[in-house]
Amino acid sequence: IFPFLLDEILFQDIQKRVHLDNPLRIKILSKELPVKLWIFDMIETGKLSERIRTLNTRDFSACRHISLLPYTNDGMALWEAVKGQNKEGVVMKNPESEYSGFCKVRTNNWIKIKNLKSMDLEVKSYQINPAGIRVESNGIFCQIAGSQSNAVKKLIDERGSANIEVNYLNITSSGQLRQPVFKCLNDIEAKKEN
């Protein structure tokens, strides 16, 4: 499996450039927030290892905004670097896999491993929705589904709050959690009851 390092790009910063149409603003932000295209695969037939060999014969040196993403076979060293540099994650690809198109068939040929962080939150309010409840703590929101939503809702109703643990990818510049996912209820008494 070939893992590669995802370059650290602050998603919310790049989004500032997406819908610009003012030439002066585009020029300013292209200097403040330069973007680079990282090429990691060619969408054509053949095994990944063959596609990588073909890519490595191409010369992208004429454009400073295009680079080939490096591959490595040392997944453990790469994962340690990802964690140490607080990167988003790693994508591992089977070198013998063939490109199968967009979402035609789910396989384990490409696996994304996210470098999730964890945070404890005291939640005091919720909103009921078809999927369960959406809880809030100081402007941070998280969806909770299934039986866990019932346990958290019951605690908030009876005690006024519940302590939960949430996994997330990173914190945006506005203080929001990116991709928050409920992990568990951290209330010992509530765990005994459920």
Side-chain angles (χ1 to χ4, degrees):
I1 290 182
F2 283 72
F4 65 82
L5 186 63
L6 296 177
D7 192 37
E8 182 177 353
I9 297 173
L10 295 177
F11 180 78
Q12 62 271 17
D13 289 338
I14 298 305
Q15 291 303 304
K16 294 175 186 174
R17 292 187 54 184
V18 171
H19 300 289
L20 291 178
D21 54 12
N22 179 312
L24 179 59
R25 190 77 179 128
I26 291 169
K27 187 174 183 177
I28 291 168
L29 280 181
S30 68
K31 289 184 173 131
E32 290 178 7
L33 298 168
V35 177
K36 181 176 270 195
L37 173 64
W38 288 95
I39 298 175
F40 62 90
D41 199 349
M42 295 175 67
I43 299 178
E44 63 177 41
T45 58
K47 295 179 180 177
L48 175 64
S49 54
E50 296 163 2
R51 298 191 313 261
I52 292 169
R53 274 194 292 281
T54 302
L55 268 176
N56 285 330
T57 65
R58 306 292 162 91
D59 181 15
F60 297 102
S61 62
C63 183
R64 62 186 174 96
H65 297 293
I66 298 177
S67 290
L68 284 177
L69 195 62
Y71 282 79
T72 179
N73 285 317
D74 192 348
M76 290 309 295
L78 179 64
W79 182 245
E80 291 305 317
V82 165
K83 291 192 305 184
Q85 296 172 32
N86 201 25
K87 302 288 186 179
E88 280 197 12
V90 172
V91 174
M92 297 189 323
K93 294 183 172 188
N94 179 340
E96 300 306 308
S97 67
E98 302 224 2
Y99 181 74
S100 63
F102 294 101
C103 300
K104 288 182 182 174
V105 178
R106 269 202 179 278
T107 71
N108 290 330
N109 287 327
W110 293 18
I111 300 170
K112 181 173 183 179
I113 303 170
K114 296 179 181 181
N115 183 21
L116 296 174
K117 289 86 177 164
S118 164
M119 176 185 287
D120 292 329
L121 297 174
E122 180 183 24
V123 293
K124 296 182 179 182
S125 66
Y126 61 86
Q127 294 174 335
I128 299 173
N129 59 49
I133 62 171
R134 182 177 185 227
V135 295
E136 185 267 337
S137 175
N138 298 319
I140 296 173
F141 297 92
C142 182
Q143 178 69 34
I144 305 175
S147 62
Q148 294 111 341
S149 69
N150 294 330
V152 172
K153 182 179 173 290
K154 181 179 175 186
L155 274 177
I156 294 172
D157 289 344
E158 292 176 359
R159 299 183 190 169
S161 69
N163 296 312
I164 65 170
E165 186 174 345
V166 175
N167 285 338
Y168 64 95
L169 198 52
N170 57 32
I171 299 175
T172 67
S173 57
S174 64
Q176 292 297 306
L177 300 184
R178 187 160 161 239
Q179 298 181 3
V181 177
F182 174 79
K183 183 177 179 185
C184 66
L185 184 59
N186 276 343
D187 190 301
I188 295 185
E189 292 304 313
K191 285 181 181 179
K192 287 179 186 174
E193 293 171 16
N194 291 306

